[in-house]
Amino acid sequence: MSALRCRSFAKINLHLEVVGRRADGYHELRTLFQSVALHDVVEVESAADGCAVEVMEGEAPEDASNLAARAAALLLERFAPRRDGARIRLWKRIPLGAGLGGGSSNAATTLWALNRLFGGPATAAELSELAAELGADVPYFLSGGTAWGTGRGDRIEPLPDLEEQEIWLVTPPVEVSTAEVFARLGLPAGVLTPRDTPSSIVRLVEVGTEARADRLQAYNDLEAGVLGHYPEIREAREVLVDAGGASVRLSGSGATLYAFFHVPVDVGALRRRLPAGSRIVCSRTLSRPSYLASRIVDPSGGRSRDPVAGRRGKPLRVPPDAT
Ligand code: C5P
């Protein structure tokens, strides 16, 4: 096999608690990750010299700052030293700096796909360790679905999957720096203050009781700071709540907000009311079996199911000149 083409799915945080700032500067988290069908496409193949990234659609860096290139280099260095290099092609559909984990997902997908292409030199545990070196969110994307993240968000416990549901993702036209959002919390280093985790989340994590994503009592500790700092995100949240969105919440450090709708969605009206340049995607949550089964794009072009195929998965961009 000379190349492997994969779907690299986005995530949302259904719940995110900041427990405190650790002595190493990172923040200790308790977070509920959920995969969604929105995805980039990542193709890997072995190459004669070095690790290069080519962006075929959308925007992302093509140099060594791209996390997928770093993932390939790390895998080669540690587990495939006799390989000369890898070529990575990216089709980017997940917005950047959006709290949807696009870069982390691409890195995890690259690790997994290259390892498979090279005949599996690294075990699943070794891939997780490499993933954690690349970024706090990266290990989650090795398995996807509904999962509980602790530590920096890099210690992952897969949970029973929540029911798959339609979910709307709205990304206002601002790029948020995760590092700045955490820094603005201004927490003292080395002080951890466990919070009250909502009981529905505790039940899901400890007992595995089924719950629906739109019925979880949950919060995101980064949301108040982000809404206070970015008026466009605040405005978008008001529009979604006003349109009847349920569980409207920030994903990660933003800028993306997600919402469940139990009423018909008038996309035209949403588009007119959201900040100009906002991106609206109707997607759905993805269980772990769906995530794992649809990871490889079937080269025969047919039978493997594309979770975002069809009209509903298409991104709908608000024209920059909309009022
Ligand atoms: O791990 P990643 O590179 O995605 O994180 C980006 C930045 O966000 C980190 O450099 C750090 O400043 C902040 N962060 C944090 N605590 C976490 C995750 C991220 O402080 N658990």
Side-chain angles (χ1 to χ4, degrees):
M1 203 192 304
S2 60
L4 192 56
R5 186 177 284 192
C6 296
R7 296 185 181 87
S8 175
F9 295 104
K11 61 84 181 159
I12 55 165
N13 300 83
L14 286 171
H15 175 75
L16 195 157
E17 286 170 44
V18 180
V19 182
R21 189 162 148 235
R22 307 169 357 162
D24 67 4
Y26 267 90
H27 291 74
E28 184 79 13
L29 307 181
R30 291 155 67 86
T31 185
L32 186 63
F33 287 112
Q34 175 63 56
S35 303
V36 293
L38 173 68
H39 62 269
D40 293 337
V41 173
V42 174
E43 188 183 81
V44 297
E45 65 181 318
S46 61
D49 51 348
C51 296
V53 174
E54 204 178 340
V55 178
M56 314 298 290
E57 178 188 324
E59 279 176 39
E62 288 190 318
D63 58 16
S65 70
N66 189 305
L67 208 54
R70 282 165 41 202
L74 196 60
L75 184 82
L76 259 84
E77 179 198 316
R78 304 273 176 86
F79 291 97
R82 271 182 267 140
R83 303 275 179 171
D84 296 319
R87 173 144 4 280
I88 303 156
R89 293 191 182 85
L90 296 179
W91 286 259
K92 295 292 297 176
R93 290 148 192 184
I94 306 172
L96 298 183
L100 296 172
S104 299
S105 175
N106 295 169
T109 304
T110 299
L111 282 180
W112 179 83
L114 265 186
N115 190 51
R116 186 179 163 112
L117 203 63
F118 292 163
T123 63
E126 286 166 339
L127 281 185
S128 287
E129 277 172 35
L130 292 189
E133 276 186 49
L134 289 162
D137 275 356
V138 183
Y140 163 71
F141 289 101
L142 291 171
S143 49
T146 306
W148 186 234
T150 54
R152 295 181 301 146
D154 55 348
R155 284 209 305 268
I156 299 301
E157 184 188 335
L159 297 179
D161 280 299
L162 295 167
E163 190 181 312
E164 293 188 347
Q165 283 185 282
E166 182 179 283
I167 188 166
W168 290 74
L169 307 171
V170 167
T171 312
V174 285
E175 221 175 283
V176 174
S177 153
T178 303
E180 284 170 21
V181 169
F182 276 107
R184 272 197 298 270
L185 291 175
L187 298 178
V191 183
L192 300 184
T193 321
R195 308 231 311 147
D196 281 341
T197 306
S199 56
S200 61
I201 306 274
V202 173
R203 274 199 301 280
L204 180 68
V205 174
E206 291 182 357
V207 195
T209 319
E210 288 201 29
R212 279 167 50 116
D214 58 340
R215 298 220 185 107
L216 289 172
Q217 302 151 297
Y219 55 79
N220 178 344
D221 273 333
L222 301 177
E223 186 170 295
V226 169
L227 295 184
H229 200 78
Y230 297 96
E232 297 92 337
I233 304 180
R234 195 165 61 237
E235 207 181 305
R237 185 178 184 284
E238 279 160 22
V239 171
L240 288 170
V241 170
D242 196 53
S247 301
V248 180
R249 212 171 292 125
L250 189 75
S251 181
S253 55
T256 300
L257 296 158
Y258 58 85
F260 299 92
F261 278 93
H262 307 299
V263 292
V265 178
D266 181 342
V267 180
L270 266 189
R271 188 188 287 129
R272 281 190 298 278
R273 295 181 57 206
L274 284 166
S278 294
R279 205 173 147 191
I280 312 169
V281 175
C282 177
S283 187
R284 62 189 180 82
T285 60
L286 209 57
S287 68
R288 189 168 308 101
S290 302
Y291 183 93
L292 298 175
S294 50
R295 182 138 69 168
I296 297 179
V297 177
D298 184 353
S300 70
R303 290 189 298 278
S304 101
R305 155 176 102 89
D306 185 341
V308 297
R311 193 180 61 81
R312 304 227 73 182
K314 292 241 173 71
L316 308 161
R317 191 182 285 280
V318 179
D321 58 350
T323 48

